[in-house]
């Protein structure tokens, strides 16, 4: 019964997100909440995408949260889960993860709102973002710890375990900080972040189902349904962008599922596309700075044509649809590997 609750919740999240686009997009146009494109990006982005409504992530945030809340109530009502008894631990862990994602989405909303109101691409300062994100992560772990869910062991294939003790929290906190912003960086072309996240959440729907975690499975299904609904409007050429509002929320969902299921190692594998996107920026910046010092020039060498890495392929002549397809295929490969390892670890 639990799986059908999640399936219906995913379908509802899809419909709500898709239908919301019919009124949200005209409203964003009316409010003149259009995206301002940075001059440092691909030149054709400014010509073709400038003014496209942003903050469209509001649609799937509302859909996911509503469907998740109703789904949790249904799971309790039909006897699948006892949230205030035997399944109290999972309830706290899952809800805390969903709230963390919602808070990340709120931070993204503030960032987007400042951008559209000032008509430029600079919202919250980097320091403000870091402080906000650290506070959210700290609140998430504090909730988990105070509730008595102080798990500090990382599980690996082959029955290997690593109990990190109290070091788990700062290390995993940095990991969440990296991954949330990596998801945000993946939202650079039409449809990419939504497509990759559909695959990631589908992977965790399987993994959480294997672990018997009904709450996490429901959250994964709802997020997948919301992303597919948003793709109806965000597929190239996009009629609306999710903005930091949406991408930060999805980053929170990605981390909430991986950490919430207690499979951080599998999370890293399934999230490899996000990780590589952010890593390409780090590599580009490092190579640039090092070669600048070596050659004593005003500008250093660049390893990629542009980062994040999806822009490198875009600058190489790939269409947005091709990039979406190839990156999604690689996400599916990493996701399949994570699922296979999960079966080996838990079945």
């Amino acid at each position: 019964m639990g799986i059908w609750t999640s399936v219906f919740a995913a379908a509802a999240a899809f419909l709500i997100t898709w239908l919301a686009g019919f009124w949200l997009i005209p409203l964003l146009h009316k409010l003149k909440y259009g995206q301002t494109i940075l001059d440092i990006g691909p030149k054709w982005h400014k010509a073709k995408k400038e003014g496209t409504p942003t903050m469209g992530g509001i649609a799937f945030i509302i859909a996911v949260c509503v469907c998740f809340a109703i789904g949790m109530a249904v799971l309790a009502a039909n006897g699948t889960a006892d949230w205030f008894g035997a399944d109290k631990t999972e309830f706290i862990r899952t809800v805390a993860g969903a709230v963390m994602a919602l808070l990340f989405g709120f931070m993204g909303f503030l960032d987007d709102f400042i951008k559209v109101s000032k008509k430029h691409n600079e919202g919250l300062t980097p320091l403000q973002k870091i402080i906000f994100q650290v506070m959210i992560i700290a609140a998430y772990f504090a909730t988990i710890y105070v509730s008595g869910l102080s798990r500090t062991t990382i599980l690996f294939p082959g029955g290997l375990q690593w109990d990190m003790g109290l070091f788990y929290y700062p290390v995993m906190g940095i990991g969440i900080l990296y991954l949330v912003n990596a998801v945000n960086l993946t939202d650079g072309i039409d449809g990419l972040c939504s497509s990759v996240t559909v695959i990631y959440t589908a992977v965790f729907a399987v993994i959480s189902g294997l672990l018997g975690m009904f709450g996490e499975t429901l959250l994964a299904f709802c997020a997948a349904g919301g992303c597919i609904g948003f793709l109806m409007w965000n597929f190239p050429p996009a009629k609306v962008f999710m903005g930091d509002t949406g991408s930060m929320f999805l980053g929170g969902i990605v981390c909430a599922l991986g950490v919430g299921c207690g499979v951080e190692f599998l999370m890293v594998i399934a999230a490899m596309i996000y990780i590589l996107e952010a890593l390409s920026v780090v590599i580009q910046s490092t190579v640039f700075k090092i070669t600048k010092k070596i050659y004593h020039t005003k500008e250093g060498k660049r390893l990629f044509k542009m980062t994040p890495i999806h822009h490198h392929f875009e600058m190489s002549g790939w269409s947005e649809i091709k990039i979406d397809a190839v990156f999604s295929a690689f996400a599916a490969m990493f996701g399949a590997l994570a699922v296979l390892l999960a079966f080996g670890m838990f079945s």
Side-chain angles (χ1 to χ4, degrees):
M1 190 65 182
I3 186 64
W4 285 111
T5 300
S6 295
V7 170
F8 283 124
F14 163 79
L15 284 173
I16 293 172
T17 305
W18 173 53
L19 293 174
F22 286 103
W23 65 266
L24 180 60
I25 295 174
L27 175 62
L28 293 173
H29 271 296
K30 184 177 180 180
L31 294 173
K32 301 186 185 300
Y33 283 1
Q35 180 73 48
T36 301
I37 306 298
L38 288 172
D39 292 326
I40 60 174
K43 294 179 180 179
W44 53 89
H45 276 207
K46 194 167 186 66
K48 295 181 179 180
K49 301 177 185 292
E50 184 89 49
T52 300
T54 188
M55 300 168 69
I58 292 173
F60 61 73
I61 290 176
I62 293 173
V64 170
C65 290
V66 169
C67 294
F68 173 70
I70 295 175
M72 291 289 279
V74 171
L75 288 173
N78 63 25
T80 301
D82 181 11
W83 296 135
F84 300 102
D87 300 312
K88 182 179 179 180
T89 296
E90 184 186 350
F91 176 81
I92 295 172
R93 184 176 54 231
T94 307
V95 172
V99 171
M100 176 178 68
L102 189 59
L103 290 174
F104 277 124
F106 177 69
M107 191 210 79
F109 172 80
L110 292 178
D111 193 39
D112 284 333
F113 185 77
I114 294 171
K115 292 175 183 176
V116 297
S117 59
K118 291 186 177 181
K119 304 299 180 184
H120 60 60
N121 207 279
E122 296 179 3
L124 296 172
T125 66
L127 180 59
Q128 289 172 330
K129 291 179 182 178
I130 292 294
I131 292 174
F132 208 133
Q133 291 170 10
V134 169
M135 289 174 62
I136 293 171
I137 296 168
Y140 170 66
F141 279 129
T143 301
I144 298 297
Y145 187 83
V146 171
S147 301
L149 310 178
S150 53
R151 177 187 57 80
T152 59
T153 301
I154 305 293
L155 304 178
F156 297 94
L160 298 176
Q161 298 183 11
W162 179 22
D163 188 353
M164 300 179 67
L166 291 178
F167 285 106
Y168 172 88
Y169 297 104
V171 171
M172 194 51 56
I174 293 172
I176 292 176
L177 188 67
Y178 178 95
L179 193 50
V180 167
N181 286 285
V183 175
N184 178 246
L185 287 172
T186 305
D187 182 38
I189 61 173
D190 300 355
L192 182 58
C193 188
S194 301
S195 301
V196 172
T197 305
V198 167
I199 294 168
Y200 179 91
T201 49
V203 166
F204 267 89
V206 176
I207 293 175
S208 58
L210 180 64
L211 294 169
M213 296 181 173
F214 296 111
E216 301 289 352
T217 302
L218 175 65
L219 183 60
F221 265 93
C222 289
C227 285
I228 295 172
F230 188 71
L231 268 172
M232 300 297 103
W233 301 104
N234 188 236
F235 191 79
K239 296 179 178 63
V240 66
F241 299 142
M242 68 173 66
D244 285 356
T245 303
S247 60
M248 294 300 293
F249 173 79
L250 293 181
I253 290 290
V254 165
C255 295
L257 290 172
V259 177
C261 288
V263 290
E264 293 85 352
F265 176 74
L266 298 181
M267 175 181 72
V268 170
I269 295 175
M272 192 58 66
I273 288 295
Y274 306 124
I275 293 170
L276 293 176
E277 284 271 42
L279 187 60
S280 69
V281 177
V282 175
I283 292 173
Q284 182 89 318
S285 178
T286 302
V287 170
F288 183 87
K289 291 178 180 179
I290 291 176
T291 54
K292 182 179 178 179
K293 290 183 178 180
I294 291 176
Y295 297 110
H296 302 289
T297 57
K298 292 183 178 180
E299 290 197 8
K301 302 293 183 179
R302 288 179 171 84
L303 186 61
F304 307 109
K305 294 181 179 180
M306 187 175 290
T307 56
I309 193 70
H310 58 257
H311 285 317
H312 170 82
F313 293 106
E314 192 178 14
M315 297 288 284
S316 299
W318 288 28
S319 69
E320 289 182 312
I321 293 177
K322 182 177 179 180
I323 295 172
D324 289 347
V326 172
F327 276 49
S328 295
F330 272 93
M333 290 173 57
F334 287 118
L337 176 59
V339 169
L340 287 174
L341 290 173
F343 272 99
M345 292 168 66
F346 305 114
S347 62

